[in-house]
Amino acid sequence: MKYVVVSGGVISGIGKGVLASSTGLLFKTLGLRVTSIKIDPYMNIDAGTMSPLEHGECFVLNDGGEVDLDLGNYERYLNITLTKDHNITTGKIYSHVIERERKGDYLGKTVQVVPHVTGAIQDWIERVSKIPVDDSGLEPEVCIIELGGTVGDIESAPFVEALRQFQFRVGSDNFALIHVSLVPVIHGEQKTKPTQAAIKDLRSLGLTPDMIACRCQELLEVATIEKIGMFCHVGPNQVIAVHDVNTTYHVPLLLKEQKIMKFLSQKLRLDTIELTAESLQKGEHLLTRWKTLTANYDRAFETVTIALVGKYTHLKDSYLSVIKSLEHSSMKCNRKLKIEWVESSDLEEETKTSDLSKYHKAWHHVCQADGILVPGGFGSRGIEGMVAAAKYARESNIPYLGVCLGLQIAVIEFVRNVIGIPDSTSMEFDPAHSEETASVVYMPDVDQVKLGGTMRLGIHQTKFVKGSENAKLRKIYGGSEYVMERHRHRYEVNPKLISKIEAKGLKFIGKDETETRMELLELDDHKFFCGTQYHPEYISKVLDPSRPFLGLVAAASGILDDILAREDLSHKGDF
Ligand code: GLN
């Protein structure tokens, strides 16, 4: 196993995740099997209990793991399926060590950060790196490890020390370190001092960078590269420049141009791994497809505008997978994507009274959009604005996709305005509401007291119902009998109202494996008005977009019929 650690210095949030996944992709183009691990030095066991407004979206895996959003990057770029153990947090490591201590595993010993915690981290990495993550079912050959935060933080110290020891455990032919740094431009001059300081910190902790990836706004000047090489004691071929590009999908090619694989192949002795002609060919095919995709992106000149009506719009990362799914879909439709961010509460009557211009601006964005998306969310703030947006989309024949909460919103709107129960809502927002008239109710099998990791989570089957053959959502999935998608919710559509709702034209065309829970909805006689109780954004891939999102974007671009006529819609993974 070859381990490539990606760490960061200077500041966080400079695209370590994109760099790490792009590097992983380049290993894949060589025909290698690649996996990845994300280390998050926070105390939480997982990302499930953190606010999306503080930490960005909580990503959900097949096994129900609620993990850091960077795991989504890896799954999307590398087309792999990770497990909750691929996200290591301080919380997980400490509870593992403490549990072992209570069992008596360290009997007679004083349990310490070094060597016990650092040892547990290394064992964890070695164990998890071997889990097969792709269709081959075989052990991966390369493991990318992204260390969250910046080196030098108190929080990440045990992980840095574990990785320092790890390079000796696995041997230097099997370990490479890429340190991501920032080169700011001050008064027109590219400044190298922050990078020098970051590398000094790294070396003082016993780690040596094999490559220094410099993030900068503009192309890095040759003189800057040479200076970093000299002051940081590495060759100029070990300094790579990652300047801002119009889409992050260009980053793998940017790294390739700078021949990073040449250096890494030598350092990691990749020539010792025997590759079959088939895997080499697969790698080349992947590279060709990636190049075509980015070239097409640059050439697309028509724009599709989607209004994203949500409640966490102040931090775009709260909707990272949603944005990515829209991007993947737009690329498939040869459109440039424009997202209009609409904070749902701005669409409400209250804002009309308090800030008229904000209210009109928000509505202007909704009305100008080619399609409307209401994503997932929790809690009652902003709900009325979402309901108003769904009403507008339904009545004006504007393509609409509701994801999880967005599906529930579409049902609430329909029950209020078409069925005629004006005060109907979800019991999430009004727990005392009558169960007879609530549109959305608590699922009976969900824990109401313990909140960590207790929702209906992870991958479940959704079956299309009989008679749904002509539904757009079913067609866009290639006409399949069922789909497997990832869930994260506590509430469901009230089973008591189903027949009334369906009689008026809003059809539940997909149900869970027991055929009692409503999972997919589609409105008759509308361009595209759909909802999914699951989160299709979690399995969208760069080269294989999530189908409900593709449906929305295609409908919004006016090409849904063309897309539905494609014969390769059912070719999962190679569409
Ligand atoms: N809050 C809703 C529920 O728990 C929707 C969840 C979501 O959008 N992920 O059912």
Side-chain angles (χ1 to χ4, degrees), residues 183-186 188-193 216-225 227:
V183 177
V185 178
I186 311 282
E189 197 191 330
Q190 295 183 338
K191 293 288 186 187
T192 64
K193 193 68 105 208
C216 46
Q217 283 170 338
E218 304 284 329
L219 271 173
L220 216 57
E221 288 156 21
V222 177
T224 315
I225 295 182
K227 193 168 173 191

Side-chain angles (χ1 to χ4, degrees), residues 40-58:
D40 281 305
Y42 47 69
M43 284 298 295
N44 303 58
I45 296 278
D46 60 38
T49 50
M50 291 195 238
S51 161
L53 270 179
E54 195 182 306
H55 192 74
E57 126 192 309
C58 164

Side-chain angles (χ1 to χ4, degrees), residues 294-305:
T294 46
N296 284 350
Y297 178 87
D298 292 340
R299 258 182 254 132
F301 56 88
E302 278 183 78
T303 301
V304 58
T305 308

Side-chain angles (χ1 to χ4, degrees), residues 375-379 403-406 408 428-429 440 443 455 488-492 533 535:
F378 295 83
V403 170
C404 204
L405 175 66
Q408 299 172 359
E428 177 177 6
F429 320 133
V440 177
M443 284 189 286
M455 282 184 246
R488 184 173 190 247
H489 65 126
R490 288 196 178 87
Y491 295 84
E492 63 173 325
Q533 185 58 76
H535 289 266

